[in-house]
Amino acid sequence: MADKTQSPNDAHTSQIWGGRFQSGPSAVMEAINASVGFDRNMAEEDIAGSLAHAAMLGACGVISSEDAAAIERGLIQVRDEIRAGQFTWKTELEDVHMNVEARLREIIGEPAGRLHTARSRNDQVATDFRLWLRAACDRIDTALAAYQSALIDQARAHADQVMPGFTHLQTAQPVSLGHHLLCYVELAERDRGRFADARKRLNESPLGCAALAGTAFPIDREMTATTLGFDRPMANSLDGVSSRDFALETLSAAAICAVNLSRFAEEIVLWCTRRFGFASLSDAWSTGSSIMPQKRNPDAAELVRAKPGRIAGALQGLLIVMKGLPLAYSKDMQEDKAPVFQAIDDLELAIAAMTGMAGDLSFHASALETAAGEAYSDATDLADWLVRELGRPFRDAHHIAGSIVKAAEARDVPLADLPLEIMQSVDSSIDERVFSVLSARASMQSRTSFGGTSPVRVREQVEVWTRRLSPADPS
Ligand code: ARG
């Protein structure tokens, strides 16, 4: 280590910004400064941005059309080399931008030096990062739609399957399994909405903001914005190079999405336990234990359950990097990319795993039905019957039903098996019609209010979602 810090690397005084330097950076300076290890992830975007910039410089007469053509040819070769895995990345060239430009110079010579006219790495990196995140938002949208489809297929197949609905993880009221699964479709739809919002706001072009103040060259920022598919050029050059709220917003969407996924992941973990016994995952989505031969573990669900730790951590990290940074660009902002790349990778893997597991789950009908009828899950139906048929105020009905549950508990029988005389000893007006509401299935079927769990409503929602997700649907 010691000699690293003390031996400036003179070989690099010729690097791109080296004109006023007499010696190169120390090895540790080079190590802390270099971002190419991760920003090479944006090589495609960097070259797309440079192609758009060079074409614009040529069209505006800032550089000759011959130079613009040479730059284009050279950049395409660089891109081919990178795609083919034949490109040699050099840490001493700091970042993706200088690696690409240095190779361009090797290929086309002097015209390469004209590419950086009216541009800085500050607007360049902001452009690359926005393009990268825009593509990520699009991939995530497609992945979430596939996740929704897998859930909808299961919901369609299980609209009539009764299961216990929980509050406080205590049995509450019977619900349709289809209804339960469609809840996650709704959550995923709002996740898609958050990514769409983030995409809409990030899709503006910083290119041409240059270092911070714009440029004296007669450039056409509309042209580069259009070429790169941006909605418009950013209107304030300081904003263009210094803002990273677009990354924070996308990370926020990612963190919320990861949290949403983790909730279903946790339910998969619970449902696949012996204690619940509601569902199983096939071998494709299970792992074994190295010591206990009988084990089948839902590792993928557990890992999705853990992902918010990393993804919300990335959001937290970048919030802290950005906090209190004065305008405009500061090198601190180079620390934005690694957490974003990591978080997006994690999220894409988590969505893919949840899509796979959502489709793979096989449900155990009788265990679900038995559990749905346990723990007096029909007590609310008894109270509602007292309101509806006997005109009792709900608060009184709640009290009467509670006393009946207590009597049933003392005999260790479900409400449906409690003798009518016992119920009548609590409220003498109760008659045998009450038994028609005392089953998990009747309870589920009765909840026909809009948004309720009755299979009639669930099938309607399955149809609504099937139409919304079909590619032919214009809405
Ligand atoms: N690698 C840098 C980053 O990611 C590129 C911008 C460098 N700009 C500068 N003025 N040194 O932030």
Side-chain angles (χ1 to χ4, degrees), residues 35 39 94-95 97 121-122 125 244 329 331 333-334 336-337:
S35 56
D39 65 18
E94 277 188 42
D95 54 27
H97 323 295
R121 278 184 295 157
N122 297 350
V125 73
R244 291 294 182 272
Y329 178 85
K331 196 65 177 247
M333 288 158 66
Q334 179 165 285
D336 57 359
K337 281 169 282 303

Side-chain angles (χ1 to χ4, degrees), residues 438-461:
L438 298 182
S439 82
R441 185 157 292 278
S443 170
M444 166 182 77
Q445 280 165 346
S446 72
R447 291 190 155 69
T448 53
S449 56
F450 178 74
T453 194
S454 171
V456 188
R457 296 285 92 88
V458 175
R459 275 191 291 273
E460 282 170 6
Q461 287 302 308

Side-chain angles (χ1 to χ4, degrees), residues 46-381:
D46 194 66
I47 290 169
S50 289
L51 283 168
H53 186 66
M56 180 277 291
L57 292 177
C60 294
V62 176
I63 63 174
S64 71
S65 50
E66 295 74 38
D67 284 346
I71 291 169
E72 181 186 356
R73 184 172 45 77
L75 284 171
I76 288 170
Q77 183 180 328
V78 175
R79 190 172 66 191
D80 290 344
E81 290 175 6
I82 293 171
R83 284 181 183 172
Q86 287 159 356
F87 191 90
T88 309
W89 298 97
K90 295 180 184 152
T91 312
E92 63 270 23
L93 291 172
E94 277 188 42
D95 54 27
V96 60
H97 323 295
M98 300 218 284
N99 269 270
V100 169
E101 193 183 317
R103 178 68 187 129
L104 182 68
R105 183 180 287 271
E106 285 172 10
I107 297 168
I108 67 166
E110 191 257 1
R114 300 187 187 279
L115 170 60
H116 213 54
T117 316
R119 182 178 81 168
S120 147
R121 278 184 295 157
N122 297 350
D123 57 336
Q124 196 179 349
V125 73
T127 302
D128 296 359
F129 203 23
R130 283 172 186 263
L131 289 173
W132 193 93
L133 272 169
R134 185 178 73 190
C137 287
D138 291 344
R139 289 194 309 274
I140 289 168
D141 185 67
T142 305
L144 284 172
Y147 170 56
Q148 289 177 305
S149 291
L151 288 164
I152 291 162
D153 287 346
Q154 290 277 26
R156 186 183 297 109
H158 298 291
D160 285 296
Q161 174 65 57
V162 68
M163 69 175 284
F166 299 92
T167 61
H168 315 262
L169 198 55
Q170 306 290 324
T171 301
Q173 293 173 348
V175 296
S176 148
L177 172 57
H179 194 55
H180 191 112
L181 296 171
L182 287 182
C183 174
Y184 288 116
V185 176
E186 300 279 348
L187 283 165
E189 186 70 7
R190 288 195 295 278
D191 285 324
R192 292 177 70 188
R194 275 181 283 272
F195 281 105
D197 283 347
R199 185 200 196 282
K200 193 171 72 193
R201 267 186 290 281
L202 70 74
N203 199 33
E204 295 188 327
S205 176
L207 196 55
C209 291
L212 74 164
T215 176
F217 290 101
I219 60 169
D220 182 349
R221 293 192 54 214
E222 289 282 352
M223 182 179 167
T224 46
T226 305
T227 308
L228 294 169
F230 286 119
D231 293 330
R232 63 191 76 81
M234 292 181 75
N236 183 298
S237 61
L238 296 167
D239 186 34
V241 295
S242 68
S243 59
R244 291 294 182 272
D245 57 322
F246 66 90
L248 292 171
E249 185 173 3
T250 311
L251 276 182
S252 305
I256 296 170
C257 181
V259 167
N260 287 340
L261 295 175
S262 78
R263 300 184 70 179
F264 186 31
E266 162 67 349
E267 294 196 321
I268 293 173
V269 172
L270 288 173
W271 292 353
C272 291
T273 59
R274 178 76 183 214
R275 291 278 161 241
F276 273 77
F278 289 179
S280 312
L281 289 168
S282 76
D283 288 356
W285 291 97
S286 305
T287 50
S289 154
S290 58
I291 177 170
M292 296 168 282
Q294 86 285 9
K295 284 301 281 292
R296 288 172 65 81
N297 296 324
D299 286 26
E302 294 166 78
L303 288 162
V304 174
R305 189 172 61 182
K307 288 296 181 198
R310 294 164 63 102
I311 298 173
L315 169 61
Q316 189 73 7
L318 186 55
L319 282 167
I320 294 171
V321 166
M322 294 308 298
K323 184 208 161 289
L325 274 191
L327 301 184
Y329 178 85
S330 295
K331 196 65 177 247
D332 309 49
M333 288 158 66
Q334 179 165 285
E335 301 286 354
D336 57 359
K337 281 169 282 303
V340 167
F341 294 156
Q342 184 64 63
I344 298 295
D345 271 1
D346 278 332
L347 184 66
E348 292 192 62
L349 195 52
I351 299 169
M354 291 308 291
T355 306
M357 286 186 285
D360 184 81
L361 279 171
S362 55
F363 292 97
H364 303 159
S366 65
L368 286 161
E369 178 128 25
T370 303
E374 285 171 353
Y376 304 101
S377 62
D378 48 3
T380 314
D381 301 276

